[in-house]
Amino acid sequence: MTVSVTDATNSPSDLPNVTRELFVVPTRSALQNHAPSSHAPRILLLYGSLRERSFSRLLAEEAARLLHAMGAETRTFNPHGLPLVDSTPDTHAKVQELRQLAMWAEGMVWSSPERHGAMTGLMKTQIDWIPLAEGATRPTQGKTLAVMQVSGGSQSFNAVNQLRVLGRWMRMLTIPNQSSVAKAFAEFDEAGRMNPSAYYDRVVDVMEELVKFTLLTRDASPYLVDRYSERKESAAELSKRVNQRSI
């Protein structure tokens, strides 16, 4: 016998493995049961190179200008002085600065060079220093993410694809659009501003989409990421499982 979706009921009575009091049926009213925020969307930008003329930084700066024009508030983390993961306690000033910015943000932009077919170690280090959880709070869960990369040669998507994997791991809502700038050395003028091009237009598209998704989801984020399995865990058990010190 085939049972269609319309034959289903809101009762888990035929689901013996489900804890009834924790089983929640998603509804539109619950999704909309929040007061809309009136403050500007808060976006954190990370870039993945320490070079004096870093094209991933220049791309992030161009993105920040666009975000400001679209009504967002932005902060850009300077990774100079950030230590390697586990080389120092997480009380290090740069680590704490990064983590506080991650908590502040409602969305992020990750901009990395592609080096040897992958994102840079510096880019990964920044993300690795952001914990999956602070106690029972996840600093990145449910927040929006846009990914971008720059290349010295022909266009590639290796770095942005890796960043998408990381975004999923960090429980973030990575927007569909993305930016990959080929031959980045030719796409910025001497003042560090991006030249008019199809690459620039794509960056505009990506930032516009990021702001839209952030406005759409930021107030509903706690509901969107509320999970049955995690409702079964206490805050202490969740923190212990996520923050596995031995890894």
Side-chain angles (χ1 to χ4, degrees):
M1 175 181 176
T2 302
V3 179
S4 68
V5 173
T6 55
D7 293 327
T9 68
N10 291 343
S11 171
S13 59
D14 60 341
L15 303 174
N17 295 332
V18 167
T19 304
R20 292 193 181 190
E21 59 269 24
L22 297 176
F23 184 80
V24 175
V25 177
T27 64
R28 183 178 296 274
S29 60
L31 184 64
Q32 298 173 335
N33 186 27
H34 53 264
S37 298
S38 58
H39 64 270
R42 300 192 296 259
I43 308 296
L44 170 63
L45 297 98
L46 306 179
Y47 58 89
S49 171
L50 298 178
R51 290 178 176 175
E52 182 176 354
R53 186 169 168 83
S54 162
F55 294 112
S56 64
R57 175 178 56 80
L58 295 179
L59 184 61
E61 290 175 351
E62 203 68 49
R65 294 185 187 99
L66 290 165
L67 289 167
H68 277 294
M70 295 175 188
E73 179 183 358
T74 68
R75 297 182 185 178
T76 301
F77 177 70
N78 182 345
H80 280 271
L82 183 70
L84 292 174
V85 175
D86 296 333
S87 67
T88 187
D90 60 14
T91 54
H92 189 282
K94 291 298 291 187
V95 175
Q96 287 301 306
E97 177 189 353
L98 175 59
R99 292 186 174 188
Q100 290 167 12
L101 287 172
M103 293 291 289
W104 167 86
E106 295 171 328
M108 296 190 191
V109 176
W110 294 349
S111 175
S112 177
E114 179 171 320
R115 185 169 297 161
H116 300 315
M119 77 179 81
T120 59
L122 178 64
M123 191 77 234
K124 184 65 162 56
T125 294
Q126 293 175 82
I127 299 168
D128 284 347
W129 269 123
I130 301 173
L132 285 174
E134 287 278 10
T137 302
R138 294 183 186 272
T140 55
Q141 179 169 262
K143 298 181 179 182
T144 53
L145 172 65
V147 295
M148 306 190 298
Q149 75 165 74
V150 293
S151 303
S154 59
Q155 191 173 39
S156 175
F157 301 95
N158 291 324
V160 288
N161 287 339
Q162 290 182 327
L163 291 172
R164 284 186 175 278
V165 171
L166 285 176
R168 183 179 68 229
W169 185 257
M170 301 299 285
R171 305 281 185 92
M172 302 183 78
L173 304 174
T174 308
I175 65 171
N177 216 337
Q178 62 188 23
S179 169
S180 174
V181 179
K183 298 181 179 178
F185 59 87
E187 296 301 323
F188 295 87
D189 64 21
E190 289 302 314
R193 297 301 303 268
M194 195 169 184
N195 299 322
S197 68
Y199 291 135
Y200 178 81
D201 292 346
R202 174 59 67 89
V203 177
V204 179
D205 290 347
V206 173
M207 294 307 109
E208 180 181 351
E209 192 171 288
L210 176 64
V211 173
K212 288 177 179 177
F213 271 79
T214 305
L215 291 171
L216 179 67
T217 62
R218 64 178 179 177
D219 296 314
S221 180
Y223 179 69
L224 291 172
V225 299
D226 182 42
R227 294 178 175 85
Y228 167 78
S229 61
E230 292 182 359
R231 290 194 293 272
K232 292 179 65 177
E233 292 183 286
S234 68
E237 290 171 335
L238 176 60
S239 179
K240 181 179 179 181
R241 177 173 61 79
V242 174
N243 292 302
Q244 299 179 49
R245 296 288 184 180
S246 61
I247 293 180

